[in-house]
Amino acid sequence: MATMQQVAERAGVSIATVSFVVNGSKKVLPHTRERVEAAMRELGYSRNHAGSALARGRTDIIALLYPAFERNLSGTAMTFFTSAADRARERGYTLVLWPAHNEAAEITELTASGLVDGVLLMEVQLEDGRVDRLKEGRTPFALIGRTQDPEGMAWVDVDFASSVETAIEELVALGHTSILYISGATEKRFVAHGGVARARESYLQTMAQSGLTATTLTCGENSAAGRLLAAELVEHHPDATAIILMNEHAAPGLAIGLAQHGVRVPDDLSIISIGTSAHMASMAEPVLTHMDSPAAELGRLGVDAIIERINEPDRPLPQTLIPCTPGEGASVARAPRR
Amino acid sequence: MATMQQVAERAGVSIATVSFVVNGSKKVLPHTRERVEAAMRELGYSRNHAGSALARGRTDIIALLYPAFERNLSGTAMTFFTSAADRARERGYTLVLWPAHNEAAEITELTASGLVDGVLLMEVQLEDGRVDRLKEGRTPFALIGRTQDPEGMAWVDVDFASSVETAIEELVALGHTSILYISGATEKRFVAHGGVARARESYLQTMAQSGLTATTLTCGENSAAGRLLAAELVEHHPDATAIILMNEHAAPGLAIGLAQHGVRVPDDLSIISIGTSAHMASMAEPVLTHMDSPAAELGRLGVDAIIERINEPDRPLPQTLIPCTPGEGASVARAPRR
């Protein structure tokens, strides 16, 4: 196999320049890059990444493990992936989205394969068998999210609890006392999901502390379900004046359904959409007042956390909580007089 | 390192059963699986996938290459990914989403790495430097989409051309003569995109053949841009009675904007949304009459195509065109009398 030196000679450049091209570690002028690439092809040079990487015990690949079979990636998760992939690239790694069933055996297999240097686990459950397997293995890992007791692990997570608390406080300050909480699908695994469970718990606690009655509802994660929910609200919860919504995909349909039933948002009913994006909030009319998921920041921090685990395992464990950030919208107003 | 035989002895099962657990190739009773996994952990058994795979020149990994840095995955692309990952798993492979800038050098590096057995390339452009690199390399590949001249390559693609033609014929049969075409963002790469370019070309041709005047517009891929587009339509295209929409993310905002300007869909203006899903179509009011992207089928066929290239390179090249399928909606009606 050709060496980097031979490529450099053929292309008439320094070895450093070849290295820059091969590793993408520094900008190289387009025509220089083309010369180097041509020389690589002509000489059949390859980094022989897998071979050399395995020899030194590294592949420079990070697996972002996502249960793609069970749940479609939300826009938020996609932003997370894009941001994480970008950050990994900046730091000399390739981050790939690795689909997985939520099965512990798959984790054992992946970490034993030697194909990845580290694992980032998404959609963490309060009790999570995959985390137990990751703990047993030797592959460094970090969580996007948290188990019930995340001590002794590296994690970054969205602070849904404080976001829900902030939203309720804002609504209470505007005179609302009948505030519903609406989250996604009802299946067990969503209740067991760390973020979903903590958000709901925060709602229940904050309402109790404010002396208010809590009412939680669920709704499928699509617009058709949102439309149906509107009818249910009109029939069974006519006194509600505000909604905390943890279900961005149902939002446009919910707004459409409410309008069809003559419920004006925000005059009759205020809505705060939590853990979403301006893109999704803008699909409803009026544009929803919302709290943005910090997906892009989480992606960067998650990658930094796993790279630190890979390279500096003796450093203190990164454990970072990031709140949602308030976004513009027109779906919140003072509570109507009844 | 422990052998499969030792694991079988420790777990008190046959080697075949260990193999089933390790390879996920057959269902194993939960408690048997647990015994095998416990024995694997206790003995430190690992498939040593990377090592043995490289020794036999295989990793059983397929990379689905996607320009995630430049474009967020649409819901449709996500459906494609999920379906492809599922199909790969059925056939004993792992399909990972591999983010890439649209740079040819990255392709050279990936195919030279030996880390993947095959590459599926998404978002194919009419002239695509990445395809040229794939042709030069030795790693089998298949395209999701087509270049200008895809002869000599394996590909599966959506037949946008026939879908657009069908949509226009349906509108013409309902008396429409002023039919606008609205696609996504204006940047060069979208025009250069095989599917986008062929859909637009089909619109221009079909309108010409029908003796009708063609008008194409572009609009950012989000609801805010859709709202603005509504104002533009009212001001500059008051005579239009129908829209062919190739921009699912702008659709909810467009419908909202039209309603705010007093334009009734479908009484005043019909809309057919092409290459989308029932999920997205339902985010607008009325639910959009649409043509579903065959994303799930494309995912399965794409994986079958690349696996055939990997294992049976001498067979005829798979080249498959799949039309969109009509979906329910309420946004098309007879053309209004003017």
Side-chain angles (χ1 to χ4, degrees):
Chain A
M1 181 178 137
T3 63
M4 211 176 260
Q5 169 108 45
Q6 289 169 318
V7 173
E9 281 164 13
R10 167 77 67 124
V13 300
S14 69
I15 293 181
T17 301
V18 175
S19 167
F20 294 154
V21 171
V22 169
N23 297 305
S25 47
K26 209 172 156 181
K27 290 243 174 210
V28 174
L29 287 175
H31 68 270
T32 307
R33 169 184 280 270
E34 277 160 28
R35 275 220 312 283
V36 172
E37 284 169 6
M40 283 168 65
R41 288 196 300 277
E42 287 158 22
L43 294 170
Y45 173 86
S46 85
R47 291 177 68 185
N48 194 7
H49 198 128
S52 65
L54 284 169
R56 63 186 173 92
R58 288 287 178 90
T59 60
D60 297 335
I61 293 177
I62 295 166
L64 176 61
L65 223 64
Y66 192 87
F69 303 106
E70 301 180 16
R71 190 179 187 186
N72 266 344
L73 268 185
S74 65
T76 305
M78 199 54 225
T79 303
F80 176 86
F81 170 60
T82 304
S83 162
D86 227 354
R87 180 62 176 158
R89 185 182 155 98
E90 274 174 29
R91 300 199 56 182
Y93 288 80
T94 300
L95 177 133
V96 302
L97 189 65
W98 197 288
H101 291 74
N102 270 336
E103 287 176 14
E106 277 188 15
I107 306 284
T108 302
E109 198 175 308
L110 172 62
T111 59
S113 74
L115 282 169
V116 302
D117 289 355
V119 171
L120 271 175
L121 184 67
M122 285 184 79
E123 303 288 328
V124 176
Q125 315 287 305
L126 290 176
E127 305 294 332
D128 200 317
R130 303 168 303 165
V131 172
D132 298 333
R133 288 298 170 277
L134 285 169
K135 279 178 168 174
E136 290 163 4
R138 278 161 306 182
T139 303
F141 70 96
L143 310 181
I144 312 302
R146 278 172 292 163
T147 55
Q148 184 74 52
D149 175 18
E151 264 312 298
M153 290 182 281
W155 54 263
V156 299
D157 198 4
V158 181
D159 190 357
F160 281 117
S162 77
S163 305
V164 168
E165 199 182 331
T166 302
I168 294 174
E169 283 167 1
E170 191 178 322
L171 290 169
V172 168
L174 289 167
H176 293 273
T177 53
S178 180
I179 304 167
L180 303 179
Y181 181 83
I182 298 171
S183 57
T186 56
E187 296 130 87
K188 241 185 181 174
R189 73 196 151 83
F190 283 111
V191 178
H193 182 288
V196 172
R198 287 191 174 91
R200 188 170 179 278
E201 187 57 33
S202 171
Y203 166 78
L204 296 174
Q205 273 189 17
T206 310
M207 291 295 278
Q209 283 162 10
S210 310
L212 300 175
T213 305
T215 307
T216 64
L217 299 170
T218 57
C219 170
E221 296 187 320
N222 58 74
S223 261
R227 288 167 193 246
L228 292 175
L229 178 67
E232 189 189 333
L233 294 180
V234 168
E235 189 173 350
H236 299 294
H237 304 278
D239 295 335
T241 63
I243 290 171
I244 307 272
L245 186 65
M246 280 278 289
N247 185 339
E248 61 178 5
H249 286 286
L254 175 59
I256 290 166
L258 289 170
Q260 286 171 342
H261 283 86
V263 178
R264 296 164 303 162
V265 176
D267 300 2
D268 301 324
L269 187 66
S270 289
I271 301 176
I272 298 185
S273 182
I274 292 185
T276 184
S277 64
H279 178 75
M280 285 302 299
S282 174
M283 289 202 181
E285 175 59 25
V287 174
L288 297 181
T289 301
H290 61 285
M291 302 190 76
D292 259 330
S293 168
E297 191 180 358
L298 208 65
R300 284 192 298 277
L301 291 173
V303 165
D304 286 346
I306 184 60
I307 292 178
E308 189 169 305
R309 295 307 296 155
I310 292 169
N311 295 318
E312 302 174 89
D314 297 330
R315 289 192 58 178
L317 291 159
Q319 297 181 329
T320 310
L321 208 49
I322 314 171
C324 294
T325 52
E328 294 284 312
S331 64
V332 170
R334 182 159 287 282
R337 298 188 176 217
R338 285 283 155 91
Chain B
M1 182 180 135
T3 64
M4 210 176 261
Q5 169 108 44
Q6 290 169 317
V7 174
E9 281 166 13
R10 166 79 67 127
V13 301
S14 69
I15 291 181
T17 301
V18 175
S19 168
F20 295 154
V21 171
V22 169
N23 298 305
S25 47
K26 207 171 155 182
K27 290 243 176 215
V28 173
L29 288 175
H31 68 271
T32 306
R33 169 184 280 270
E34 276 160 29
R35 275 219 312 282
V36 172
E37 284 169 6
M40 283 169 67
R41 289 196 299 278
E42 287 158 21
L43 294 169
Y45 173 86
S46 86
R47 291 176 66 184
N48 194 6
H49 197 128
S52 66
L54 285 168
R56 64 187 173 92
R58 289 288 179 90
T59 60
D60 297 337
I61 294 177
I62 295 165
L64 176 62
L65 223 62
Y66 193 86
F69 302 106
E70 301 179 17
R71 188 178 188 189
N72 265 344
L73 267 184
S74 66
T76 304
M78 199 54 224
T79 302
F80 175 85
F81 170 59
T82 304
S83 162
D86 228 355
R87 180 62 176 159
R89 185 183 154 98
E90 275 174 29
R91 299 199 55 182
Y93 288 81
T94 299
L95 177 133
V96 302
L97 188 66
W98 198 288
H101 291 74
N102 269 337
E103 288 175 13
E106 277 187 15
I107 306 283
T108 302
E109 197 174 309
L110 173 62
T111 59
S113 74
L115 281 170
V116 303
D117 288 356
V119 172
L120 271 174
L121 184 67
M122 284 184 80
E123 303 289 329
V124 176
Q125 315 285 305
L126 290 176
E127 305 295 332
D128 200 317
R130 303 168 304 165
V131 173
D132 298 333
R133 287 297 169 279
L134 284 169
K135 279 178 167 173
E136 291 163 4
R138 278 162 305 183
T139 303
F141 70 96
L143 310 181
I144 312 303
R146 279 171 294 163
T147 56
Q148 183 73 53
D149 174 18
E151 264 312 297
M153 289 182 281
W155 55 262
V156 298
D157 199 2
V158 181
D159 190 357
F160 282 117
S162 78
S163 304
V164 168
E165 199 182 331
T166 303
I168 294 175
E169 282 167 1
E170 191 178 323
L171 290 170
V172 168
L174 289 168
H176 293 274
T177 53
S178 179
I179 304 167
L180 304 179
Y181 182 83
I182 298 171
S183 58
T186 55
E187 296 128 89
K188 240 185 181 173
R189 73 194 151 81
F190 283 111
V191 179
H193 181 287
V196 173
R198 288 191 173 91
R200 189 171 178 277
E201 187 56 34
S202 171
Y203 166 78
L204 295 174
Q205 274 189 16
T206 310
M207 291 295 279
Q209 283 161 9
S210 310
L212 301 175
T213 305
T215 307
T216 64
L217 299 169
T218 57
C219 169
E221 296 187 322
N222 58 74
S223 261
R227 287 166 193 246
L228 293 175
L229 178 66
E232 188 189 332
L233 294 180
V234 168
E235 189 174 350
H236 298 294
H237 304 278
D239 295 334
T241 63
I243 290 172
I244 307 272
L245 185 66
M246 280 278 289
N247 185 338
E248 61 177 5
H249 285 286
L254 175 60
I256 290 166
L258 289 170
Q260 287 170 343
H261 283 88
V263 179
R264 295 165 303 162
V265 176
D267 300 1
D268 302 323
L269 187 66
S270 289
I271 301 177
I272 298 185
S273 182
I274 292 185
T276 183
S277 64
H279 178 75
M280 285 304 299
S282 174
M283 289 203 181
E285 175 60 25
V287 174
L288 297 181
T289 301
H290 62 285
M291 302 190 77
D292 260 329
S293 167
E297 192 180 357
L298 207 65
R300 284 192 298 276
L301 291 173
V303 165
D304 286 346
I306 184 61
I307 291 178
E308 189 169 304
R309 295 307 297 155
I310 292 169
N311 294 318
E312 301 174 88
D314 298 329
R315 288 194 59 179
L317 290 159
Q319 297 182 330
T320 309
L321 208 48
I322 314 171
C324 293
T325 52
E328 293 284 311
S331 64
V332 170
R334 181 159 287 283
R337 299 188 175 218
R338 285 282 155 91

